[in-house]
Amino acid sequence: MPSTGHRSSWSNRWTFMLATAGSAIGLGNIWKLPYMIGVNGGSAFVLVFLACIVVAGIPLMMCEIMLGRRAQRNPVDGMQALAHEAHAPTAWKWVGVSGLFAGLLILSFYSIIAGWVLDYIVRAASGQFHGIDGATAKKYFNDFLAAPLELLFWHTLFIFMTLGVVARGVNAGLEKANKILMPTLLAILMVLIGYSMAAGDFARSAHFMFAPDFSKVTPVAVLSALGHAFFSLSLGMGAVMVYGSYLQRHVSIARTSIYVALVDTGVGLLVGLAIFSLVFANGLEPAAGPGLIFQTLPIAFGRMPGGDMIGTLFFVLVAFAAWTSAISLVEPAIAWLTENTSLTRKQSAWLIGITDWLLGIAVLLSFNKWQDVHLLFGLGIFDTLDKLTSTIMLPLGGLAMAIFAGWVMRANHVQEELGLANATYQLWRLTIRYIAPLAIVAIFAYLTGLIK
Ligand code: PHE
């Protein structure tokens, strides 16, 4: 593969790992995974989710990093160059194009939820949760959603935070932000776990999450766990590919993927343990759904000694996690713009920032003034974007990448880039050619049934 001239790269393998973990750990782990565990009956869902991470998640993460590093380009030009190398149609670049748009679409609603989190930092810090009950917590949340200007304020701030980092480039922006935010995030997480072990009902939480009860493993739980494994590991849209394109040649892709998957899953499970400890100790409902962290946890924070502090720390943790993920959502588009147009990184960041800011306005209005606007499948704007990206575009992108790496690229190129011993390579190849694609096709079968 010919080189593309000077290109930024991560300072070392740790910064790459931090950044990839930063991308993976986000609202998906802290906001979505716990409520999905709660809604899907606890331990059964956890076990299936873990199996999906091992069977499809890790092999696909290796695949995406491999594609990025071999191409040394943004996902669009990267897929095109790799297709050229394999004498395959250059139409494969559309996998990159679709990923780039998926990233922009995801950020438009991701930024709104991250905005809720920013608002809840202020609420927790100002003691607003003291002694509130379920009805009050719900009212706070609903009143907030009904106030477009407030939502707009936080959305604007989050877009500035995200593009502000990306504008500074790989080393001074992405790498530095992850170096500061990720260790802080892990430290806050430890404090929260320690606290919930001491003050919450940790034993019951652990039992709820880990005592295996296979009677609850339904087909729906299996497939939604698989879909969430993609979202949680940031797979299928080129974020991991573009991060891989900044990776030096000597770093082991397999080891990095396994570490990132372990940290991502570990954080999700630890946050879940902390949340359910507080939920059970306060007699709250584990199956509360998407409102879990916004409507349930404030009640627990309002009751506990030191709850203002713990609540503030919790929402800061979520904000940091969302921030490091959001950066990776726009990086494919920014890399494409800077490598293909005369725009500088800063100008590209403005362009993408404004685009996503406008898209986000449509999303935030869908919680109030445009509540009755329905797009695809009769869903509102927020739900349409969520479904379209996480359940259609990402799995489709993952499927295409698996097929490309497993069936289109030359096997010796793939093996050379992955640097795996033969037996491990054969195992990976088997997964990427058959197991992962079949699993993704199964998601689609489920989805078409769901959406109809
Ligand atoms: N993995 C992120 C999360 O769990 C979301 C994400 C998806 C980020 C796809 C980048 C790409 O919140």
Side-chain angles (χ1 to χ4, degrees):
M1 175 98 359
S3 136
T4 48
H6 177 72
R7 213 157 171 278
S8 309
S9 63
W10 304 107
S11 303
N12 54 56
R13 74 186 184 97
W14 288 105
T15 48
F16 166 69
M17 210 177 300
L18 268 188
T20 311
S23 165
I25 300 168
L27 293 171
N29 307 58
I30 309 178
W31 165 69
K32 210 166 178 189
L33 179 65
Y35 87 68
M36 287 178 91
I37 295 175
V39 172
N40 290 296
S43 55
F45 184 84
V46 174
L47 288 173
V48 180
F49 176 71
L50 291 180
C52 294
I53 293 275
V54 174
V55 172
I58 295 176
L60 259 158
M61 177 164 274
M62 289 170 60
C63 169
E64 234 189 288
I65 301 176
M66 180 276 291
L67 294 175
R69 187 168 73 179
R70 181 149 193 99
Q72 293 285 307
R73 289 163 174 84
N74 65 77
V76 179
D77 299 319
M79 286 305 291
Q80 185 167 357
L82 292 173
H84 185 75
E85 186 186 49
H87 305 292
T90 50
W92 280 101
K93 73 167 185 228
W94 288 98
V95 177
V97 176
S98 141
L100 207 132
F101 280 102
L104 298 185
L105 294 178
I106 294 176
L107 184 64
S108 71
F109 68 84
Y110 209 80
S111 170
I112 304 303
I113 303 178
W116 299 352
V117 174
L118 294 176
D119 181 81
Y120 270 64
I121 297 177
V122 178
R123 285 175 198 247
S126 63
Q128 212 193 77
F129 301 146
H130 286 179
I132 57 168
D133 56 11
T136 321
K138 209 176 190 128
K139 185 175 169 352
Y140 281 167
F141 189 58
N142 290 339
D143 287 353
F144 176 47
L145 292 193
L149 283 180
E150 268 179 62
L151 297 175
L152 180 65
F153 173 78
W154 295 112
H155 163 54
T156 311
L157 179 63
F158 190 75
I159 290 284
F160 262 107
M161 286 163 58
T162 303
L163 277 306
V165 169
V166 179
R168 285 166 209 267
V170 176
N171 301 105
L174 276 62
E175 184 165 303
K176 196 161 164 206
N178 276 294
K179 253 184 178 153
I180 300 170
L181 296 176
M182 290 307 288
T184 319
L185 181 150
L186 293 177
I188 299 179
L189 182 67
M190 291 308 143
V191 173
L192 281 172
I193 298 290
Y195 184 89
S196 69
M197 276 177 108
D201 196 338
F202 203 78
R204 189 155 164 217
S205 175
H207 187 266
F208 176 67
M209 282 183 51
F210 297 117
D213 176 359
F214 290 101
S215 67
K216 290 192 181 127
V217 183
T218 64
V220 169
V222 172
L223 292 164
S224 52
L226 187 56
H228 189 63
F230 279 103
F231 186 81
S232 186
L233 290 178
S234 305
L235 298 175
M237 49 75 60
V240 171
M241 201 192 287
V242 81
Y243 276 16
S245 77
Y246 303 132
L247 181 63
Q248 299 93 331
R249 279 264 131 78
H250 59 273
V251 177
S252 155
I253 292 180
R255 201 176 315 147
T256 312
S257 304
I258 292 171
Y259 286 160
V260 169
L262 279 179
V263 175
D264 181 59
T265 320
V267 167
L269 296 180
L270 285 176
V271 170
L273 276 173
I275 291 180
F276 290 120
S277 294
L278 298 179
V279 165
F280 287 130
N282 289 278
L284 305 171
E285 176 51 51
L292 187 66
I293 69 166
F294 297 104
Q295 294 178 36
T296 304
L297 283 186
I299 308 173
F301 295 139
R303 280 183 198 166
M304 62 177 68
D308 292 351
M309 231 302 258
I310 297 292
T312 310
L313 280 180
F314 174 79
F315 286 110
V316 169
L317 163 94
V318 188
F320 281 9
W323 196 3
T324 51
S325 296
I327 294 170
S328 72
L329 283 168
V330 287
E331 182 58 23
I334 300 280
W336 183 81
L337 279 173
T338 49
E339 287 166 20
N340 284 280
T341 66
S342 56
L343 294 182
T344 62
R345 219 172 215 277
K346 227 186 191 146
Q347 290 163 334
S348 311
W350 274 105
L351 181 65
I352 299 294
I354 292 171
T355 311
D356 255 317
W357 183 73
L358 290 172
L359 275 173
I361 292 180
V363 175
L364 71 85
L365 287 174
S366 74
F367 289 103
N368 36 72
K369 296 207 180 344
W370 290 0
Q371 229 163 12
D372 299 323
V373 177
H374 296 300
L375 299 176
L376 300 185
F377 320 117
L379 297 171
I381 298 173
F382 174 85
D383 291 320
T384 302
L385 288 173
D386 179 20
K387 288 264 165 348
L388 181 70
T389 52
S390 1
T391 52
I392 299 179
M393 294 174 90
L394 298 190
L396 208 61
L399 177 65
M401 288 173 200
I403 292 176
F404 186 80
W407 297 90
V408 178
M409 279 178 80
R410 282 180 50 182
N412 62 334
H413 287 167
V414 176
Q415 186 172 13
E416 173 191 297
E417 196 63 47
L418 284 173
L420 289 177
N422 218 17
T424 334
Y425 172 69
Q426 290 307 335
L427 181 67
W428 175 83
R429 192 165 159 80
L430 181 78
T431 315
I432 218 70
R433 295 185 86 175
Y434 301 101
I435 302 176
L438 282 177
I440 300 167
V441 169
I443 297 183
F444 277 108
Y446 158 63
L447 279 172
T448 38
L450 181 82
I451 289 170
K452 264 181 203 157

